[in-house]
Amino acid sequence: RLELRCERDGAGAELRLDAHPALSVSRAALLPPPGGPGDAAGQALPVESRPFASYGSALHIGLPQPPRAGQLLTLLIDYEAGEGPGVCWLTPEQTAGKQKPYMYTQGQAVLNRSFFPCFDTPSVKFTYSATVKVPEGFTAVMSATSWEKQKDNTFVFKMSQPIPSYLIALVVGDIVSAEVGPRSRVWAEPCLIEAAKKEYDGVIEEFLAVGEKLFGPYVWGRYDILFMPPSFPFGGMENPCLTFVTPCLLAGDRSLVDVIIHEISHSWFGNLVTNATWGEFWLNEGFTMYAQRRISTEVYGLPYTCLEAATGRALLRQHMDTTGEDHPLNKLRVVIEPGFCLFLGVNPDDTYNETPYEKGYCFVSYLAHLVGDQSKFDAFLQAYVNRFKFQSITADDTLEFFLEYFPELKEKGVDSIPGQCGAILAREPCFADQHPPVSEPLCPRWTLCMFVCFTGDAAAASPGSNGGGLALASWDQALAQAWARLLPSLSAAVPRVQCHCSIPCPVPLLHALSGQGQGDAGGVVLGVGSSWDSTPWSCGLGCNSPLSPQGKQKYTLPLYRAMWGGSEAARALAMETFSATAPQLHVNVQNYVKKILGLGVAE
């Protein structure tokens, strides 16, 4: 049921909604006003599905007459959602418990049109309510500010704050919860709940409190985390009130809890202040990366944050080298038009890469550099959130507010500085074609870089002593997190680590990494890239490997690429592993792996 208000006259007698061929619409009707005359079942309306783009269709609904400005309309649409890209149906084998099926929805970027007919654009925000009846033995949860369980295993949800369509999320499965803070709980399958509680008990509140100090009140009420089944292909999804995360974050030593800082930061940047179009996805992710690193600095200190940011910059450089500086999707402002998408196959989901995250972060850092005072820029971020909360905005809105907030910068002419960043502030058509000229301070991160290099050198000196005495589990939390962040960059430098110095990537170090049991993909890629032949590939390529219990594509795809580009033994192991674990993977990840291995991919 859609409750709509006509914004202006001249809208015409037709409503167009985003939909998907996987939706089967049986009826549309215009309901009478509450308490007014008319058939309670409503007036039947003509409805037709028409092609729109590669990622969806357009649902055309005829109205009796053009509505007047300010007129309220209530439409009822009867439909079924099948196997669309935004509605994921998992078999018991794809869950952690292996006992019951599971379903979840994933809306970002334009997938919720296969869940329900809607205005599937971040430029439109709305409140919602839902009533969900599920079989006995199952629980339903949604991204909602309130929920209650009624009789007959029926759950009622309400989101009282306006959100864009992509943030509506539903999960139905064999899940339970445990409190981990005054306004937080963890959700997971029963076999994972104790590990989730132990890992995150008391952690989330600290991150939320620092975020509130920096960016203003947390407006969403509760902040819960749902640990998804192992086949969940993403690291996290910032659904308000209920963040979805990969079970890979259950490391057992709290070394990965900081990953949740990114999702918490979306509570202000993305969920509260939202990019109006997916062509400016950096407004969500660039500001979130900056907010994440501000919180990390407060919690873990500047050296850790600088190393983490330097690693992110290296990943951006690697991405640019692979795809090309001039690739259209490597700009901060990406041109996305329906006709363009329809004929050339460009999908808003394709904007998901390192560019909006790390190049976006560089640009927000550049704005902070122009201000020159961290406390003043922090105050700007609070004012920015307060000014645009519950709105969807463009980059022009952001930059105009920035110059309005700092008139002294406007007077200095920063909006006309020659070069790329000046072009951004002047809002010229050529928007961020190159990296913003921002680099992190070297001195704080050098301490941790030297520690990592020294540790590797010590391991190389004592090959017979279990990695030269290297005991990753004994590192303090910040160093463990920094190491986890550094591994992807090291894998690009095999067989030598490049961290302002050049040292061998020693086999004992790889053995030490493999012995931690955390299944970090970076260590495995290092091993494959270094042609490390350990039988049975104890760094994680066997039956008990990171490829076996999890389906996160950020781990899975680099591992398969590394194996397929390695020795004959590695290629054979890739085929063997995929054959054994494919049913546990999300269908999209299965198809990505098939492409890597040169196997046929079904449409």
Side-chain angles (χ1 to χ4, degrees):
R1 191 181 69 205
L2 299 178
E3 298 175 356
L4 310 171
R5 174 185 288 107
C6 181
E7 289 290 302
R8 62 180 183 271
D9 290 324
E14 183 181 69
L15 177 69
R16 292 189 297 276
L17 299 173
D18 292 305
H20 192 274
L23 288 184
S24 176
V25 176
S26 58
R27 179 176 182 265
L30 180 65
L31 300 182
D39 186 352
Q43 177 183 354
L45 300 175
V47 57
E48 179 185 4
S49 178
R50 301 178 189 172
F52 171 68
S54 61
Y55 51 86
S57 56
L59 194 65
H60 293 248
I61 301 175
L63 302 175
Q65 61 271 331
R68 306 179 307 276
Q71 181 179 350
L72 302 179
L73 302 173
T74 301
L75 270 69
L76 182 69
I77 302 174
D78 292 331
Y79 74 97
E80 285 187 357
E83 304 249 352
V87 184
C88 303
W89 306 88
L90 305 183
T91 65
E93 186 180 18
Q94 293 175 299
T95 69
K98 312 295 184 185
Q99 300 298 314
K100 296 181 180 180
Y102 195 105
M103 76 83 61
Y104 69 90
T105 65
Q106 167 63 32
Q108 196 177 41
V110 288
L111 302 181
N112 264 351
R113 65 189 65 201
S114 68
F115 180 22
F116 57 94
C118 59
F119 299 110
D120 199 9
T121 165
S123 65
V124 176
K125 293 190 173 185
F126 48 84
T127 59
Y128 82 88
S129 60
T131 301
V132 185
K133 184 176 181 179
V134 301
E136 290 296 330
F138 291 84
T139 297
V141 291
M142 294 192 75
S143 53
T145 48
S146 67
W147 72 282
E148 64 173 307
K149 183 179 180 180
Q150 300 181 345
K151 61 180 181 180
D152 299 327
N153 219 35
T154 298
F155 298 82
V156 178
F157 304 93
K158 182 177 181 180
M159 169 53 76
S160 58
Q161 310 283 27
I163 60 174
S165 59
Y166 76 90
L167 291 177
I168 294 182
L170 167 68
V171 162
V172 178
D174 180 15
I175 53 177
V176 293
S177 66
E179 298 289 333
V180 293
R183 46 184 164 173
S184 301
R185 64 172 69 93
V186 289
W187 292 86
E189 295 180 64
C191 61
L192 295 178
I193 194 64
E194 285 304 317
K197 185 178 188 302
K198 180 180 178 181
E199 194 91 354
Y200 285 86
D201 195 11
V203 171
I204 299 172
E205 186 60 30
E206 179 184 11
F207 298 154
L208 286 173
V210 174
E212 287 186 304
K213 182 184 76 171
L214 291 172
F215 314 121
Y218 177 79
V219 304
W220 305 101
R222 295 193 63 86
Y223 185 89
D224 292 355
I225 299 176
L226 173 58
F227 288 91
M228 300 293 283
S231 59
F232 185 61
F234 312 108
M237 179 61 211
E238 65 272 14
N239 304 307
C241 308
L242 185 68
T243 288
F244 292 1
V245 296
T246 172
C248 296
L249 298 187
L250 298 176
D253 59 1
R254 295 194 169 186
S255 60
L256 298 178
V257 295
D258 73 309
V259 175
I260 210 66
I261 296 177
H262 181 88
E263 308 307 332
I264 286 176
S265 298
H266 272 302
S267 302
W268 293 273
F269 304 98
N271 295 5
L272 195 54
V273 181
T274 309
N275 50 233
T277 77
W278 293 118
E280 294 181 334
F281 188 33
W282 75 271
L283 288 174
N284 277 16
E285 296 299 346
F287 274 92
T288 293
M289 291 300 298
Y290 188 89
Q292 168 194 328
R293 287 166 180 162
R294 282 294 295 121
I295 295 175
S296 294
T297 298
E298 294 293 312
V299 175
Y300 300 119
L302 185 60
Y304 163 72
T305 301
C306 287
L307 178 59
E308 197 264 353
T311 304
R313 187 67 182 269
L315 291 174
L316 176 62
R317 180 70 267 164
Q318 185 179 35
H319 168 74
M320 291 293 178
D321 290 344
T322 301
T323 59
E325 293 275 359
D326 296 328
H327 194 288
L329 296 179
N330 287 341
K331 295 174 169 47
L332 287 184
R333 176 173 284 169
V334 177
V335 178
I336 297 179
E337 299 174 356
F340 185 66
C341 296
L342 179 61
F343 294 111
L344 297 185
V346 176
N347 186 319
D349 275 322
D350 294 338
T351 61
Y352 178 84
N353 59 47
E354 296 290 348
T355 300
Y357 291 80
E358 295 297 346
K359 187 189 276 191
Y361 166 75
C362 286
F363 181 64
V364 178
S365 297
Y366 170 71
L367 297 181
H369 169 74
L370 289 177
V371 175
D373 185 304
Q374 187 64 63
S375 63
K376 289 182 179 180
F377 194 72
D378 287 347
F380 161 75
L381 291 177
Q382 278 209 29
Y384 172 77
V385 170
N386 189 58
R387 168 67 177 82
F388 295 112
K389 61 186 177 183
F390 304 118
Q391 298 180 49
S392 300
I393 64 172
T394 66
D396 287 355
D397 297 325
T398 298
L399 298 171
E400 286 170 4
F401 181 73
F402 176 77
L403 294 175
E404 175 187 318
Y405 191 87
F406 296 108
E408 66 275 17
L409 295 179
K410 175 72 171 179
E411 292 174 4
K412 290 181 179 178
V414 298
D415 55 338
S416 58
I417 295 175
Q420 179 265 333
C421 287
I424 293 177
L425 289 178
R427 293 171 294 283
E428 295 177 6
C430 184
F431 193 94
D433 287 344
Q434 304 296 325
H435 300 306
V438 174
S439 61
E440 295 301 319
L442 293 177
C443 294
R445 80 167 184 243
W446 181 254
T447 304
L448 292 186
C449 287
M450 287 300 294
F451 179 88
V452 171
C453 293
F454 172 77
T455 304
D457 197 41
S462 306
S465 59
N466 189 26
L470 180 65
L472 301 188
S474 68
W475 292 5
D476 70 21
Q477 184 179 8
L479 290 174
Q481 292 158 355
W483 182 253
R485 287 286 195 272
L486 189 62
L487 280 174
S489 292
L490 297 184
S491 67
V494 169
R496 302 183 68 81
V497 179
Q498 299 293 337
C499 186
H500 298 288
C501 61
S502 184
I503 63 173
C505 186
V507 167
L509 174 58
L510 298 174
H511 278 293
L513 288 168
S514 71
Q516 301 312 305
Q518 303 305 329
D520 192 289
V524 183
V525 174
L526 277 171
V528 176
S530 297
S531 299
W532 174 40
D533 260 339
S534 176
T535 306
W537 296 66
S538 60
C539 195
L541 301 180
C543 295
N544 296 317
S545 74
L547 285 176
S548 180
Q550 64 84 34
K552 183 181 177 184
Q553 64 183 23
K554 188 175 182 179
Y555 292 167
T556 302
L557 302 185
L559 291 175
Y560 277 108
R561 291 191 188 102
M563 285 193 287
W564 199 246
S567 65
E568 286 299 319
R571 291 166 70 96
L573 184 62
M575 297 294 288
E576 176 187 338
T577 303
F578 181 64
S579 177
T581 62
Q584 302 173 25
L585 301 176
H586 187 279
V587 62
N588 288 352
V589 179
Q590 290 183 35
N591 287 336
Y592 291 145
V593 175
K594 287 179 181 178
K595 289 181 180 179
I596 293 172
L597 303 183
L599 304 175
V601 178
E603 288 294 333

